[in-house]
Amino acid sequence: MRLHNRESLKSTRRQLRQQLTPTEAKLWSALQHSQLAGRKFHRQHSIGKYIVDFNCSSERLIIELDGAAHDHEQAWVQDQVRNDYAYCVSKIET
């Protein structure tokens, strides 16, 4: 089973890339074209069933920018589940 960038999430990833928040757009302008110490970042990258804002595979780094949509308890719980999943995946891939 494919773990990264599943085909079933392709249209969602594309839509999210086209609708970046102002904060995401600002960070992307600093990360794109390997501007951060030559590190290659991808935006709206999927890992399993989750889509992360930014991913740097070589550094095993995920950046999530959580705005007002995450300012309630249910979102915090879902964020923790996502974070735990990403941590477990990183351990499997080592």
Side-chain angles (χ1 to χ4, degrees):
M1 177 170 69
R2 186 175 180 170
L3 185 61
H4 291 270
N5 285 333
R6 290 183 178 171
E7 189 66 29
S8 61
L9 294 173
K10 186 175 184 175
S11 63
T12 304
R13 290 192 315 269
R14 180 177 291 140
Q15 181 181 14
L16 289 170
R17 283 193 299 270
Q18 292 171 351
Q19 298 174 348
L20 293 178
T21 66
T23 305
E24 290 171 337
K26 187 172 184 175
L27 180 56
W28 180 240
S29 70
L31 296 176
Q32 66 184 343
H33 309 300
S34 301
Q35 295 180 89
L36 183 63
R39 297 332 191 264
K40 175 72 174 169
F41 279 85
H42 298 275
R43 61 188 167 138
Q44 307 306 338
H45 179 88
S46 65
I47 302 172
K49 66 179 183 176
Y50 300 101
I51 299 175
V52 300
D53 292 333
F54 302 96
N55 178 56
C56 178
S57 297
S58 67
E59 299 300 319
R60 306 176 68 76
L61 174 67
I62 294 171
I63 300 173
E64 274 293 313
L65 301 177
D66 296 336
H70 295 263
D71 286 346
H72 55 86
E73 188 173 347
Q74 183 180 358
W76 298 334
V77 170
Q78 291 171 339
D79 288 345
Q80 188 59 51
V81 169
R82 180 199 62 213
N83 294 345
D84 292 346
Y85 177 84
Y87 178 77
C88 288
V89 166
S90 73
K91 291 300 180 189
I92 291 169
E93 293 180 341
T94 56

